[in-house]
């Protein structure tokens, strides 16, 4: 198969962790030896090994038939283990990475220097690192005579890191909506447990959630991360009035702040990831500020009138299964 | 990668031709050598080479670096060419097929005997042939010492051929709907040219189209296959009244029949593929008869009130891109 085929596998895997890697970018990596796929891996969350490291660890497992000696998600241990392997262990391997490997030497050496040290045969890169001070990975690789080919599925690889590029500069506004296949959004839980879990995973990493005052009054939500047992996000309630019934469950969640705001503009400039959950009112109120829409679409049609009406263009970026539902990521208003 | 990974590639490719193969089943095939993928192929339409033949032809191209000597979609020529290759040409290859290879000897020898003659190393099969008189492919393969492994992703492979299984026995009712992402279905063309083309391809192979009288009166459609320049389908108009304005374009299309019926039950028993295009009225009228829903979902939201309301469960079977749209196949009412 051709280069795009392998890069598409890396992309698909990375999308499984879209936004969950905050503040890091979503990145996927595939290791191939003589045309045979050894691993399809991704960076799962900030603080864990980068995609390249996980992919090399899983390629090791495939090639050696043994389990990886240490926790492959522990960056330091994984780097050290990989560097302890015989020098030519990966010399017939190629790696496809959606993003230029990092050049930053922190708790561990950079991924670029790891790949150089392991002397892989070739690296295929999708998007270059958009942050000037982080880039340089390609140069490190080239200086150590690793063959580098860039711009493989560049547009798709750039779309994958668009949230990352935006949240470096200002708030990335992700609007999440759960609906039936004919656009009904109200009347209790619509989507499956798997989808609710994914939403709780996003909630657990965001800078804050933004929610409409009306939703708070009507739905009386909790807005925590109970399905995955993680810390609840801080909440901004977008409302002109501040006379909320303090028995509404979201006010009773410990270790998080709840702030009522009548103006969102101060939020928008701050580099951050803001998750919005709401309905037609919030869609309309934030129409010019929403970056992406994340639609959880349930396998049902409903004759309830609880639909939403707003006119805007979307651009589908990725569609994946989430339990029995579909999860559709799209640019909003483009 | 494991067996399911390769079978999933075969499945995805086959879905690209779902229902377009009528009256044949949709089938996909993948050829692998030492873990490296040589081809990902599918049966495209009745009268052309089966998936296995296309996959082997494309594997030949990859291995030899030459173009296939004859038209790979011409079953007879392709069989003969493949059989003329050196005896061990494919002996290190494995093939993944979503459906048991045919045992039927017609204009060409069966696919099972072709694979036997080519002495492939192993064949992985998804679903067994559901038609008693066609099966026997596995036995042919085993009798010639080809290693056979069955039931790989069996459930998914059976879902792929569900239309085929049904249209052997009775009418398979496929309801096509084009909508915005919030379920608006009216007000002119909603989906992209690519999606309209796919619909015209389905129209060109179906036994007949079924359309509601109201749609005929209001939309005044043509219901032909002009985007692909193929023969227009026969039409049943489901209506109690038969006083249609004969200037409505669909009546003026040559080489096809148009029949007005007030009862659909005679249609249902006949082994056939019926494509229904309509809105809420037809969805409700056919609620108990629709087998699958094919949703073309456009990347936009609309505040038009032209939505549809009906309560039913769906089961998502496959989602793919169709130009800028999504194409979502699902079981209806399950």
């Amino acid at each position: 198969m051709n280069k795009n085929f392998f890069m598409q596998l890396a992309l698909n895997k990375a999308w499984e962790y879209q936004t969950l890697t905050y503040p890091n970018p979503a990145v996927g990596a595939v290791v191939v030896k003589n045309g045979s796929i050894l691993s399809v891996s991704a960076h799962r969350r900030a603080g864990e090994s980068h995609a390249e490291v996980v992919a090399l660890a899983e390629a090791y497992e495939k090639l050696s038939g043994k389990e990886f000696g240490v926790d492959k998600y522990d960056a330091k241990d994984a780097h050290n283990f990989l560097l302890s392997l015989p020098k030519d262990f990966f010399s017939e391997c190629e790696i496809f990475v959606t993003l230029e490997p990092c050049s930053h030497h922190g708790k561990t050496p950079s991924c670029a220097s790891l790949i150089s040290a392991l002397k892989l045969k070739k690296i295929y890169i999708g998007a270059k690192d958009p942050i000037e001070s982080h880039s340089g990975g390609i140069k490190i690789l080239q200086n150590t005579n690793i063959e580098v080919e860039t711009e493989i599925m560049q547009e798709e690889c750039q779309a994958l890191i668009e949230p990352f590029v935006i949240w470096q500069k200002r708030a990335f506004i992700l609007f999440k909506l759960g609906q039936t296949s004919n656009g009904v959004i109200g009347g209790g839980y619509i989507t499956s447990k798997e989808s609710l879990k994914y939403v709780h995973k996003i909630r657990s990493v965001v800078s804050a959630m933004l929610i409409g005052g009306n939703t708070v009054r009507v739905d009386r939500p909790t807005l925590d991360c109970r399905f995955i047992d993680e810390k609840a996000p801080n909440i901004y309630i977008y409302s002109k009035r501040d006379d909320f019934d303090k028995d509404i469950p979201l006010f009773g969640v410990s270790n998080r702040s709840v702030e009522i705001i009548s103006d969102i503009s101060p939020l928008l400039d701050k580099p951050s990831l803001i998750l919005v959950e709401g309905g037609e009112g919030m869609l309309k109120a934030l129409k010019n500020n929403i970056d992406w829409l994340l639609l959880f679409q349930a396998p049902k049609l409903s004759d309830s009138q609880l639909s939403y009406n707003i006119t805007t263009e979307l651009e589908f970026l990725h569609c994946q299964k989430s339990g029995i539902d579909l999860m559709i990521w799209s640019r909003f208003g483009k």
Side-chain angles (χ1 to χ4, degrees), chain A:
Chain A
M1 304 310 292
N2 62 21
K3 299 173 280 192
N4 287 12
F5 175 83
F6 296 118
M7 192 59 86
Q8 186 64 59
L9 293 177
L11 277 163
N12 291 350
K13 181 54 79 176
W15 274 101
E16 293 180 22
Y17 301 93
Q18 182 60 275
T19 69
L20 304 184
T21 56
Y22 179 81
N24 289 350
V27 183
V30 167
V31 177
V32 174
K33 183 175 180 176
N34 301 324
S36 185
I37 300 160
L38 299 179
S39 58
V40 180
S41 315
H43 180 48
R44 302 193 310 179
R45 62 161 97 185
E48 288 191 353
S49 297
H50 287 181
E52 301 90 324
V53 176
V54 182
L56 289 164
E58 291 176 353
Y60 165 84
E61 294 185 317
K62 183 88 175 191
L63 286 171
S64 69
K66 295 182 210 154
E67 272 190 49
F68 198 59
V70 297
D71 178 1
K72 64 190 168 198
Y73 299 110
D74 182 303
K76 196 168 179 195
D77 287 357
H79 272 256
N80 287 338
F81 187 88
L82 288 167
L83 290 167
S84 75
L85 294 172
K87 275 203 172 6
D88 61 347
F89 192 85
F90 290 108
S91 61
E92 293 300 310
C93 292
E94 303 183 313
I95 189 166
F96 292 76
V97 193
T98 57
L99 178 64
E100 179 179 0
C102 67
S103 62
H104 178 74
H105 190 113
K107 272 185 238 161
T108 62
S110 70
C111 287
S113 64
L114 176 69
I115 292 167
S116 287
L118 298 179
K119 295 193 189 311
L120 270 74
K121 195 175 170 192
K122 183 164 181 180
I123 178 165
Y124 298 85
I125 294 171
K128 293 197 185 168
D129 198 312
I131 302 177
E132 200 77 23
S133 61
H134 284 198
S135 69
I138 290 174
K139 202 154 280 175
I140 291 174
L141 291 159
Q142 285 168 335
N143 286 345
T144 48
N145 293 318
I146 307 287
E147 194 182 349
V148 180
E149 190 173 336
T150 58
E151 301 181 16
I152 314 292
M153 297 195 83
Q154 188 176 215
E155 200 180 321
E156 291 83 351
C157 291
Q158 279 171 343
L160 177 70
I161 57 166
E162 187 173 298
F164 170 73
V165 171
I166 292 176
W167 71 46
Q168 302 282 331
K169 299 185 293 204
R170 60 165 175 83
F172 179 80
I173 308 291
L174 177 66
F175 198 109
K176 170 253 154 186
L177 206 55
Q179 66 169 38
T180 68
S181 290
N182 63 332
V184 167
I185 56 169
Y189 286 126
I190 285 171
T191 54
S192 65
K193 190 75 187 263
E194 282 87 348
S195 300
L196 295 172
K197 261 192 176 169
Y198 197 101
V199 173
H200 282 209
K201 282 186 192 164
I202 301 178
R203 286 179 181 176
S204 76
V205 300
V206 296
S207 313
M209 278 186 70
L210 176 62
I211 186 130
N214 208 37
T215 301
V216 172
R217 287 187 193 92
V218 175
D219 291 358
R220 303 178 67 88
T222 309
L223 302 179
D224 62 5
C225 305
R226 62 194 176 280
F227 295 150
I228 56 163
D229 207 20
E230 292 277 352
K231 186 192 165 299
N234 295 331
I235 306 281
Y236 292 104
I237 301 176
Y238 187 22
S239 172
K240 294 212 171 91
R241 290 160 44 201
D242 65 354
D243 55 341
F244 290 92
D245 171 4
K246 290 296 175 355
D247 288 338
I248 293 172
L250 77 85
F251 292 104
V253 176
S254 53
N255 290 320
R256 73 115 160 266
S257 69
V258 179
E259 199 176 324
I260 299 161
I261 56 172
S262 58
D263 175 15
I264 58 157
S265 45
L267 291 185
L268 299 175
D269 294 338
K270 215 180 299 174
S272 57
L273 168 58
I274 306 280
L275 174 67
V276 189
E277 299 187 32
E280 185 179 302
M282 281 297 268
L283 273 171
K284 286 184 170 164
L286 300 176
K287 187 173 171 178
N288 296 320
N289 304 110
I290 298 167
D291 290 298
W292 282 16
L293 177 70
L294 171 55
L295 210 57
F296 285 91
Q297 187 159 318
K300 58 180 107 169
L301 304 175
S302 164
D303 64 1
S304 146
Q305 302 297 318
L306 300 163
S307 59
Y308 61 107
N309 292 293
I310 179 172
T311 293
T312 189
E313 296 295 312
L314 303 173
E315 185 184 340
F316 294 138
L317 297 171
H318 194 72
C319 178
Q320 65 212 68
K321 278 299 251 331
S322 167
I324 60 170
D325 304 321
L326 292 178
M327 226 172 122
I328 304 169
W329 297 89
S330 52
R331 290 197 181 103
F332 186 89
K334 302 292 154 20

